[in-house]
Each structure stands twice: as structure tokens, then as C-alpha cells.
Amino acid sequence: MNTEAYAPTEPRMDRVERRAPRPGLVELLTLNLRATWGRAYVRVVGASRELSWLVFEVTLPVLGTAAYVYVYRGLNAPPEFVGFVLLGGAMTAFWMNVLWSMASQLFWEKESSNLEAFFLAPCSRMAILVGMAAGGMYLSLVRAVSILVLGSLLFGVRFPRVEWVPVVGAFVLALLALYGLGMLLASLYLVFGREAWHVSNLLQEPIYLLSGFYFPVRALGPWVGLAASLIPLTFGLDAMRQLIWAEGAMGLLPVGTELAVLGAEAVVFLLAAYKALHVMERMAVREGRLTLKWQ
């Protein structure tokens, strides 16, 4: 009997060399946190790199908001409506950022040949998207606060004395749900390819109307308002107005209900974004066309 045929074979050196040790939990967490900060750093620094952009991005929304302010004043609307308009005008910064710098970003990265680096990086793609979202929130927050302060000074808006902690809580919850939606759209836009530009154009202006950026969304009727709640800013704006102006805000649903819906949307959108990224990665490996330009 030839015993050499049954002897264990030596592992091939090339296979041994390919096996990299799996990082531990601490190393993995550190790696993803560094990736998140690295992706956010570009936008955080970019917010102060070109200050002339800040002038245009604050001045133009204030001019658009001024048109609604003077319409309401011409109609002798209650003074709360000026506050509604100003708050909605400030929140447009976040919607624009989600559309053009979050949902479309992976598509732009593909066009600029950076997407391959994202797929080859050892970190999670979710860490990269979280970094994009964190940097975008900071960038938009600077612009939103600037619009709010400048508009309040120009139009003499006086906010009532309220508990600001619940208002900030509703604001943070709305941003979590909104940027979760943006992370989900980033994967879908990458699959859509060149249609991303048209989808963003299609969603920009109608959402100003449907989400009630410049008026209480209840004016559109309950069914339209509920349908528009798929965009988290609808209930986010409505909840913040109710917390600030109480009955004068003419809210669509009770604040607690709207916050519960926002929390559910945040969880659903973030989980859907994680699943969509996983599917997208599998497509990139299987078909090899996601990183091709002009697709």
C-alpha cells in the first residue's frame, strides 16, 4: 500500500500568503471610524475653504424666502407664517444637500474614477456613506443657521419662548431619517446611472410644495400630507412648527405621532441603505459594470 498517497499535502505558499488575519473588533471599529472621519473631513474643511460660496448659498435662499414673506404680509396673514417660511427656507439647505451631495454622490464618484477606491478599501461602505452624511449635515447646518439668523434680522421674526430641547430632538430625528433616505438613494442612483441627474431635478422643486416648506402641510389635505410624509422633512418641519408655535402651527398630526413615524423611517431607511449597498457590491463583483463611466 502506498502510504504517500494519503499523506497530508503541504499547503501552497501562495494560498498561505493570501490569508490575511481577520482584524479584531477594536481594529475594525477604529478602521471604520477613521474612514467615516476621513470622508467627512473633506466636507467639514470645504465649508470654510471657499467663503464666497457661503455668501451666495445664504443670500439666494433668503431672496426666495423674501418673496413668500411679502406675499403673506400682503394678505395680512398671521405673523407666525413668516416664521413658517423662514424655518422652511433654512431646511431647504438640507434637502438640497441630500439630493445633490448625498444621493448623487456615488454616481459622481464613479464619473471621477474614485468609486473603484471605495470598493477596494478595507472599510465598510456604510462607514463612507455615514462620513458623507456627517460632513453634509455640518455643511448644511452652517448655511441653515446663517439663513435663519439673517432672515430673522431682516424680517423681524420673533420666536416664542418654548422648550428648545424637544425642538432640537425633532430636528435631529428628522435629519437621521432624511440622511438615511439619502444613503438609500445613493445606491439606487448608482444603479440608475445617467438618470440620476434627471431624478434629482425631478425631486427638487415638487418636494418644496408637497412637504410644505413654506406653508403648513395640512393645507394640502390629510391624504396628500400623509403621502408626502415619505419625505422625512414633511413631518420634521410640521413637528418643529407645532413645538414652536403650538396651535398656530396648524399641524397635520399630533407631535408624538409624527416623531414616532420619523423614528420608524430612520430605522427603515438606514437598514434599506445597508441592504442596497450589499446588493450593489454583489453586482459590482458579478457584473463588473458599476464602476464603468457613462453607464
Side-chain angles (χ1 to χ4, degrees):
M1 183 177 179
N2 186 8
T3 56
E4 293 182 357
Y6 300 96
T9 57
E10 292 291 331
R12 293 178 55 182
M13 290 305 296
D14 55 347
R15 291 179 183 172
V16 173
E17 289 173 359
R18 271 193 227 119
R19 291 179 192 150
R22 289 188 176 181
L25 181 61
V26 176
E27 290 83 0
L28 199 60
L29 184 61
T30 305
L31 173 68
N32 285 296
L33 286 176
R34 291 181 65 185
T36 299
W37 168 241
R39 195 61 187 85
Y41 178 81
V42 180
R43 296 187 172 185
V44 171
V45 173
S48 57
R49 182 64 61 84
E50 188 60 59
L51 292 178
S52 61
W53 293 0
L54 187 62
V55 175
F56 293 108
E57 291 178 3
V58 171
T59 306
L60 294 180
V62 169
L63 289 178
T65 302
Y68 291 94
V69 170
Y70 288 118
V71 166
Y72 283 135
R73 285 183 175 174
L75 295 172
N76 292 321
E80 292 87 353
F81 277 70
V82 178
F84 297 168
V85 168
L86 196 56
L87 188 59
M91 295 301 286
T92 57
F94 294 98
W95 178 238
M96 295 284 285
N97 182 261
V98 164
L99 266 188
W100 296 105
S101 297
M102 193 72 212
S104 309
Q105 189 63 37
L106 290 184
F107 176 74
W108 305 134
E109 300 288 0
K110 179 175 76 170
E111 296 302 301
S112 58
S113 303
N114 290 329
L115 190 62
E116 293 92 336
F118 289 170
F119 281 120
L120 291 174
C123 63
S124 167
R125 256 53 69 189
M126 279 296 285
I128 296 174
L129 282 182
V130 170
M132 286 165 50
M137 283 183 197
Y138 172 78
L139 194 63
S140 304
L141 185 64
V142 172
R143 292 165 185 169
V145 171
S146 302
I147 293 170
L148 209 56
V149 172
L150 182 61
S152 300
L153 294 175
L154 286 176
F155 307 123
V157 177
R158 296 287 182 269
F159 292 95
R161 292 183 179 180
V162 295
E163 292 288 338
W164 287 101
V165 173
V167 180
V168 173
F171 171 73
V172 171
L173 201 54
L175 286 195
L176 284 178
L178 180 65
Y179 278 86
L181 175 64
M183 292 163 71
L184 172 61
L185 291 178
S187 300
L188 299 180
Y189 276 29
L190 188 59
V191 177
F192 290 159
R194 286 179 292 183
E195 300 301 322
W197 175 271
H198 305 296
V199 174
S200 288
N201 274 322
L202 181 66
L203 290 177
Q204 182 175 323
E205 298 293 339
I207 297 304
Y208 290 162
L209 170 67
L210 293 175
S211 292
F213 273 72
Y214 301 111
F215 58 88
V217 72
R218 196 172 74 177
L220 296 175
W223 295 111
V224 177
L226 290 175
S229 68
L230 288 174
I231 304 297
L233 279 179
T234 305
F235 278 175
L237 267 173
D238 201 58
M240 284 191 286
R241 285 169 177 160
Q242 290 190 67
L243 289 169
I244 296 173
W245 287 283
E247 295 295 329
M250 297 183 287
L252 181 64
L253 295 177
V255 174
T257 305
E258 294 183 341
L259 295 182
V261 172
L262 284 176
E265 285 182 339
V267 173
V268 170
F269 287 148
L270 288 173
L271 290 177
Y274 175 79
K275 181 67 177 175
L277 271 178
H278 183 64
V279 172
M280 188 185 67
E281 284 188 68
R282 291 178 60 186
M283 286 180 62
V285 173
R286 186 177 64 246
E287 302 179 6
R289 65 181 177 84
L290 281 183
T291 56
L292 297 178
K293 289 184 179 181
W294 317 117
Q295 295 293 311

